[in-house]
Amino acid sequence: MLLHLVPEFDLRRDVVPWLAARGWAAALDTSENSSALYVVNVERNGKVIYTWKGNQRNTHIGLYDLQTKQNEHLYMFERDLRIISCSVNNERTLLAVSFHQYTEEERVSRLLQSVSRYLALLIEIHPINNVRVLKAVDSCVRVQFLYPNEGRNTPTGSRLLLVSEDKYIEQFDIHVIEEEQHRVVIQDSGQLPRVRVADDLIWAQWDMMEQRLFYIVPKESRSILKCIQFYPDENFYSTLESHLDISVNDTQLKLVNFGYHYCQDQDVASKSLNLQVFTSKAGGLCVCCNLASDVPDEIRYCIYFLHRGYNKTFTVSLERTETHQLKEVAFMNLDYYVAAYLPGQFLHLLNIQHPDLLCYSLFLTGEDARIDMLQNCLIRSPLKSTVLDCNVGRMYAVSISDSAVLRFLQNSKRDSERLAALHCALLYFQHMEDLEMQVIWWISENLSTCHSFDPIQEFIIASLYCRMCPETQDLDKLLPYTSLLDWMGIIPGVTCVTDIISIPVLEFQHSKGFWEKLNSNLECVKYAEPHLHYHNNVLRKEWLNLSEEREERRTTAYLRHIFENAKKVLAHLDTWDSEERLVPLFQEEDYQQQLLMGLMVAQLKDHLMRHLQYVGKQKIDQIVLDYVANLLNLVHRIMKEVWRRHQLHSCIFCFDERGSAAEFAVFHFMGRILEAASGLCLPLPPGFHTLHLGLGVRCLPLHTLLHYIDNGVLHLTETCVRKLLKDLDDTEKNEKLKFSIVMRLPEALGQKVHQFWNHPVNANFIARKYVKLLLEKLGSGQCSRPIPERLSVPVEFLPLNYLTSVLAEIENQGVHPCEKQDHVNVRFVEETALRHTVMLLGLKYS
């Protein structure tokens, strides 16, 4: 199962044995379908309030502490009551309870027309003392204490919210005094001060952890979502207003997380819209709602990504229509994801952080979507990453299983599933070492199965994003999280329609945390979001220009600055330990890669400076160096895992034997790394091309090797060519290989390595090249020589004598194309020509 559920609380496991031990459960029906024992509320500090009927049908209220695993009896009514809601203050000195006194039929039969059907009480329970009536009305009410910050010292009072079915919310301010023996009593003997918080609401949700009240009021044909933030200083402010194109049934008030009553929730759920609001720590704000559908075998639900300025409406075709009566989707808040779950049908994990591309949301059906512990839809999310099954009274901590994600990745047949699982593994689990290794192994086996994306590119970019973004606020908006610019694929059985919505209006002052992050997200949507993420299009163009002009601009201040950047990156790299040395990458000079490193540093720095000026230049310099160094280390990490998996060692740089099947697999994989890096214009670690070429020499036939070199797949490096010329003996086969390599060397590199092959073939090649350069100088008019009518040397070898005469006169005019090789001159050309001619004639040269 993809979702991992850990039971944190279970009425039958954690409460029933405690009740039985005290003799309070003799008349209690302990079956799962019993309505005599049920959860009433979950408070901010993780304490679960429940109620049960005692031996004499008395109504008891108890509390279970998730941290201490202890039960506590709070209060008992000597009547058989149906508790609607209940809340205890943070100090557990006051208890607020609302209950149903009599049904309409009971009132008629008992002639109690003047008695209210519903009652809300405030009870002093430390010790049990006075009882005050908060409300005595014919409409249902709910109660909820506000909770201050954890570090608050001995408070002098508490604040209580009272929600009425008549569509208003009040706040009561309750001041207490502490008497002898730590007795806590309410200070004011008169009516408790109260203030109206909200009016005319048709839906409300309480966020216990963050002390926020979300509610909806109707306005013409639309609905307005509002939010009130309650602060520890006993003030509250309206902080958000957003227009929603949702038609909410206003005949009955729908409440979310204001207490839990299975029977009543079932009745309300059948008459009102299933709608919930979820927030994330990164400033995400989502409204999830179930929509009505006229098609029996279809489910429709909509997610408003308010922090991104659009909504997505999903229509899912059900696989098995025999369960078409299950129409209500259960929503769960997993912080990074929102889960939409319909038991027996599907599980849809919607990415809150990156909802733009549908391929980053996991959609599962069949066995993959099965959650054994949740077989009905009446579940709530009282706390983040927590679900409460109101039917059976169990509360679970919910998380995504890393092993299940890996299994799903390995078994997936569609690119959309692979992308979603890969994204989840890399970003949700925050680069866990073992999971990262398993992902690399999966990539090495599935390079050819992914058609709409490059898994190596995705791994590198997503892993870099995950490593860097926690460092600095708003950095996640500037660095790319994916290698894809768009995704045109489909998810079978699911259609999605995206609509632009109005940006929410925020009003807050000096508020850190969620509101500040949400405001930052909204500012990006308003102004510059398409231009924020760093792109490599300018980098590639500049790199190619500098590569072509390197001789002319190599000494300029600009280039010196670029190479200074590269040196800082290389100095910033982590020291490779002995295990990592399994991959024989060399710290060598690589002009092209160092140029690319330095350019990436310069351009990324400019990009961040435009948007993160407040961070400071020194911090940005550090971020950029970390980013490029992490990039190189990531490529090395990939190589290390592939190397380890194929059990290779450093003998691949011995050219006297052919490569194994494992070496060929690694060579192929390195080619895909090179392709991925080229596609994104990313630098590679020093020595990558040397290692790749060394594997190519060992694994490829000569014609294929040369084809790879000619097409730029393999790059000739000084380290590898020098070792090749020195280590291989001069058999006919090796001569052919060496000569083919020497023929393809760039001029600057050839001048460095020719001396390492002392062979007539190499000397012949050098001589030819020397002659060609001299004659080109002659042809370009840089030197002039009258052709003599008669030769001044003996005619022993007329063509050679004539050539050497011409070359000698050019040399005498100061033309020396091979200034770095003093041994190459006309004399060298003459000796080489004679030696080569004699060798071709099969004669002995002396």
Side-chain angles (χ1 to χ4, degrees):
M1 293 185 292
L2 187 68
L3 293 186
H4 179 58
L5 275 67
V6 177
E8 289 195 325
F9 173 76
D10 185 345
L11 281 173
R12 300 183 68 193
R13 181 195 68 189
D14 299 318
V15 175
V16 170
W18 179 75
L19 295 178
R22 284 153 184 77
W24 284 334
L28 184 64
D29 179 8
T30 59
S31 67
E32 288 195 3
N33 294 323
S34 171
S35 61
L37 174 64
Y38 56 89
V39 173
V40 185
N41 202 2
V42 179
E43 300 287 16
R44 183 183 188 184
N45 50 16
K47 293 178 174 58
V48 183
I49 300 176
Y50 53 88
T51 182
W52 78 95
K53 300 297 189 295
N55 298 340
Q56 306 299 320
R57 301 304 293 174
N58 298 330
T59 303
H60 297 258
I61 298 173
L63 179 143
Y64 180 82
D65 191 324
L66 292 176
Q67 296 179 348
T68 64
K69 310 297 182 186
Q70 299 295 319
N71 286 279
E72 178 182 350
H73 185 256
L74 296 179
Y75 196 73
M76 181 190 73
F77 292 96
E78 294 181 350
R79 293 174 55 193
D80 184 359
L81 302 175
R82 281 188 285 177
I83 303 293
I84 296 171
S85 73
C86 182
S87 183
V88 64
N89 66 348
N90 190 41
E91 296 75 30
R92 299 209 297 282
T93 57
L94 299 174
L95 182 70
V97 185
S98 69
F99 53 86
H100 192 180
Q101 290 200 91
Y102 304 101
T103 65
E104 191 63 34
E105 293 76 12
E106 289 172 332
R107 286 207 302 176
V108 171
S109 63
R110 299 186 185 186
L111 302 177
L112 299 173
Q113 286 85 352
S114 61
V115 178
S116 302
R117 294 173 59 196
Y118 295 93
L119 200 62
L121 303 179
L122 179 64
I123 306 169
E124 298 170 353
I125 59 171
H126 188 69
I128 294 175
N129 196 13
N130 297 324
V131 175
R132 293 198 176 204
V133 176
L134 294 173
K135 285 284 181 180
V137 290
D138 283 339
S139 56
C140 180
V141 292
R142 306 255 181 147
V143 289
Q144 176 62 60
F145 274 105
L146 300 179
Y147 271 63
N149 286 345
E150 295 284 334
R152 181 173 170 180
N153 298 324
T154 13
T156 58
S158 298
R159 291 179 293 162
L160 175 72
L161 293 181
L162 188 144
V163 187
S164 171
E165 199 177 48
D166 292 332
K167 302 178 182 179
Y168 66 85
I169 299 177
E170 292 179 316
Q171 175 185 290
F172 287 82
D173 291 325
I174 307 161
H175 297 278
V176 298
I177 55 174
E178 189 172 318
E179 297 180 340
E180 296 179 359
Q181 299 177 345
H182 304 290
R183 291 168 55 92
V184 176
V185 296
I186 299 171
Q187 184 178 14
D188 189 2
S189 58
Q191 191 172 11
L192 295 174
R194 70 181 72 182
V195 61
R196 189 66 64 96
V197 173
D199 278 305
D200 302 323
L201 62 152
I202 54 178
W203 172 93
Q205 174 181 316
W206 177 240
D207 184 342
M208 172 59 75
M209 286 303 296
E210 304 299 336
Q211 300 289 277
R212 300 183 192 120
L213 172 67
F214 293 97
Y215 64 99
I216 292 177
V217 294
K219 186 176 182 180
E220 298 174 353
S221 61
R222 308 182 74 184
S223 303
I224 300 178
L225 174 70
K226 296 185 177 183
C227 179
I228 292 177
Q229 177 72 65
F230 293 87
Y231 293 95
D233 62 1
E234 301 188 359
N235 289 321
F236 61 87
Y237 300 98
S238 178
T239 56
L240 175 139
E241 185 172 307
S242 179
H243 292 270
L244 301 177
D245 189 17
I246 298 176
S247 176
V248 181
N249 183 3
D250 62 353
T251 60
Q252 186 171 5
L253 177 65
K254 173 68 181 293
L255 301 175
V256 180
N257 292 343
F258 278 103
Y260 310 95
H261 191 300
Y262 172 60
C263 297
Q264 189 176 37
D265 282 349
Q266 258 193 335
D267 181 58
V268 174
S270 63
K271 301 176 183 178
S272 60
L273 184 68
N274 174 22
L275 185 146
Q276 292 184 65
V277 175
F278 294 136
T279 62
S280 71
K281 60 184 178 184
L285 178 60
C286 297
V287 178
C288 310
C289 59
N290 212 153
L291 303 177
S293 175
D294 297 330
V295 181
D297 57 349
E298 280 187 355
I299 291 290
R300 295 177 67 239
Y301 52 97
C302 181
I303 311 296
Y304 283 76
F305 299 98
L306 296 183
H307 59 292
R308 301 303 292 269
Y310 55 77
N311 67 24
K312 290 183 179 289
T313 302
F314 299 92
T315 303
V316 180
S317 299
L318 300 183
E319 293 182 353
R320 296 180 298 277
T321 55
E322 65 269 14
T323 56
H324 65 275
Q325 69 274 12
L326 294 175
K327 284 291 186 181
E328 184 171 302
V329 176
F331 298 107
M332 294 173 272
N333 184 6
L334 303 179
D335 192 58
Y336 197 92
Y337 291 92
V338 163
Y341 174 57
L342 188 63
Q345 294 291 345
F346 64 84
L347 172 64
H348 193 180
L349 293 185
L350 294 125
N351 197 314
I352 296 176
Q353 295 291 93
H354 309 116
D356 307 71
L357 301 182
L358 194 57
C359 57
Y360 288 123
S361 295
L362 283 154
F363 187 84
L364 301 95
T365 57
E367 282 297 305
D368 293 326
R370 183 170 55 86
I371 305 177
D372 291 335
M373 298 177 184
L374 299 178
Q375 293 301 326
N376 69 85
C377 279
L378 193 59
I379 61 174
R380 298 288 179 258
S381 292
L383 309 172
K384 198 166 291 181
S385 298
T386 303
V387 295
L388 173 67
D389 188 331
C390 303
N391 183 17
V392 297
R394 292 196 191 102
M395 190 163 69
Y396 305 93
V398 186
S399 61
I400 301 175
S401 166
D402 57 338
S403 59
V405 168
L406 189 61
R407 231 175 5 254
F408 184 71
L409 177 65
Q410 292 167 343
N411 298 331
S412 295
K413 304 302 180 185
R414 301 187 184 100
D415 275 5
S416 60
E417 296 173 344
R418 297 184 181 113
L419 263 170
L422 192 61
H423 191 95
C424 181
L426 296 174
L427 296 185
Y428 180 81
F429 294 104
Q430 299 293 307
H431 57 84
M432 292 168 51
E433 288 289 324
D434 184 61
L435 184 62
E436 201 173 60
M437 177 194 71
Q438 296 289 337
V439 169
I440 293 173
W441 287 18
W442 175 84
I443 291 174
S444 69
E445 292 179 343
N446 292 272
L447 281 172
S448 301
T449 60
C450 301
H451 304 292
S452 61
F453 72 103
D454 186 325
I456 298 177
Q457 288 182 346
E458 199 65 15
F459 177 84
I460 291 174
I461 296 300
S463 297
L464 277 173
Y465 181 88
C466 180
R467 281 166 165 78
M468 297 301 302
C469 288
E471 287 189 5
T472 306
Q473 184 178 347
D474 293 332
L475 193 58
D476 59 324
K477 302 175 183 65
L478 303 175
L479 296 179
Y481 66 89
T482 176
S483 61
L484 301 177
L485 297 178
D486 53 31
W487 185 75
M488 305 304 294
I490 61 172
I491 298 177
V494 181
T495 59
C496 175
V497 177
T498 302
D499 295 306
I500 304 299
I501 60 176
S502 58
I503 301 295
V505 177
L506 294 184
E507 294 182 10
F508 66 95
Q509 294 179 348
H510 312 297
S511 180
K512 299 294 183 181
F514 171 77
W515 294 113
E516 185 180 32
K517 292 178 181 178
L518 175 60
N519 185 59
S520 175
N521 289 334
L522 295 178
E523 290 297 312
C524 291
V525 174
K526 289 178 187 176
Y527 301 112
E529 185 183 22
H531 311 290
L532 286 180
H533 286 107
Y534 169 75
H535 293 292
N536 58 19
N537 46 0
V538 178
L539 174 64
R540 185 188 302 278
K541 183 177 179 181
E542 180 70 3
W543 182 48
L544 293 176
N545 288 340
L546 287 178
S547 298
E548 294 171 358
E549 303 169 5
R550 62 180 182 274
E551 294 301 332
E552 292 77 8
R553 300 182 59 179
R554 195 163 192 168
T555 59
T556 64
Y558 176 70
L559 267 185
R560 284 197 300 271
H561 173 67
I562 294 299
F563 281 104
E564 190 63 33
N565 288 339
K567 289 179 182 178
K568 290 178 182 178
V569 171
L570 294 175
H572 199 62
L573 284 171
D574 296 332
T575 303
W576 295 343
D577 59 24
S578 57
E579 183 186 11
E580 289 173 326
R581 277 291 187 183
L582 284 173
V583 184
L585 292 182
F586 298 93
Q587 293 284 1
E588 62 184 48
E589 291 289 332
D590 189 329
Y591 175 85
Q592 293 288 344
Q593 295 306 309
Q594 290 187 22
L595 180 63
L596 184 54
M597 285 179 217
L599 282 171
M600 175 173 274
V601 170
Q603 295 200 6
L604 184 56
K605 189 184 300 183
D606 290 344
H607 179 74
L608 297 185
M609 284 296 292
R610 283 195 295 271
H611 304 286
L612 290 180
Q613 299 95 333
Y614 58 88
V615 172
K617 182 179 182 301
Q618 186 175 359
K619 177 63 175 176
I620 288 179
D621 287 346
Q622 186 67 35
I623 291 172
V624 171
L625 289 178
D626 284 344
Y627 188 85
V628 183
N630 271 316
L631 192 160
L632 299 177
N633 271 332
L634 264 175
V635 177
H636 184 263
R637 171 75 198 279
I638 296 171
M639 286 298 305
K640 184 182 72 172
E641 294 300 343
V642 174
W643 207 265
R644 178 190 295 160
R645 189 174 190 201
H646 289 282
Q647 299 179 345
L648 296 188
H649 46 81
S650 58
C651 75
I652 62 129
F653 266 89
C654 301
F655 296 119
D656 55 351
E657 60 183 51
R658 301 303 299 166
S660 64
E663 290 176 23
F664 183 79
V666 173
F667 169 79
H668 176 66
F669 191 82
M670 289 188 71
R672 292 300 298 266
I673 293 177
L674 181 61
E675 182 183 347
S678 299
L680 295 177
C681 201
L682 303 177
L684 292 166
F688 181 91
H689 290 302
T690 293
L691 178 59
H692 196 205
L693 180 60
L695 283 169
V697 171
R698 285 175 61 89
C699 297
L700 299 176
L702 180 59
H703 66 280
T704 306
L705 175 71
L706 299 179
H707 178 72
Y708 276 34
I709 294 172
D710 293 339
N711 285 276
V713 177
L714 291 173
H715 297 253
L716 298 174
T717 67
E718 180 181 349
T719 303
C720 190
V721 172
R722 181 187 297 176
K723 188 170 182 62
L724 183 74
L725 296 178
K726 290 173 64 176
D727 290 2
L728 282 181
D729 56 16
D730 290 328
T731 63
E732 182 179 353
K733 182 179 180 181
N734 289 344
E735 283 182 357
K736 189 175 181 181
L737 168 63
K738 290 182 179 181
F739 184 69
S740 301
I741 296 293
V742 166
M743 289 272 298
R744 287 165 170 80
L745 291 177
E747 181 180 343
L749 180 55
Q751 292 177 2
K752 292 181 180 180
V753 301
H754 278 313
Q755 57 185 312
F756 296 103
W757 187 25
N758 185 19
H759 189 273
V761 172
N762 189 41
N764 182 43
F765 175 78
I766 297 172
R768 286 183 182 180
K769 192 171 184 179
Y770 183 79
V771 171
K772 179 184 176 183
L773 291 172
L774 280 178
L775 293 179
E776 285 177 350
K777 298 289 185 180
L778 176 63
S780 65
Q782 294 184 25
C783 58
S784 59
R785 173 186 180 275
I787 301 176
E789 295 181 359
R790 117 177 337 190
L791 298 173
S792 58
V793 292
V795 187
E796 290 144 345
F797 194 168
L798 183 61
L800 180 59
N801 288 338
Y802 179 78
L803 177 62
T804 54
S805 175
V806 172
L807 298 180
E809 292 195 22
I810 297 175
E811 274 190 350
N812 291 335
Q813 297 183 30
V815 178
H816 296 282
C818 299
E819 294 176 358
K820 296 183 180 179
Q821 296 185 22
D822 296 332
H823 65 284
V824 181
N825 53 26
V826 173
R827 178 66 179 166
F828 175 83
V829 172
E830 185 177 24
E831 288 185 358
T832 300
L834 290 173
R835 185 185 298 270
H836 190 61
T837 303
V838 169
M839 185 179 67
L840 290 176
L841 295 173
L843 302 175
K844 185 176 181 181
Y845 179 80
S846 58

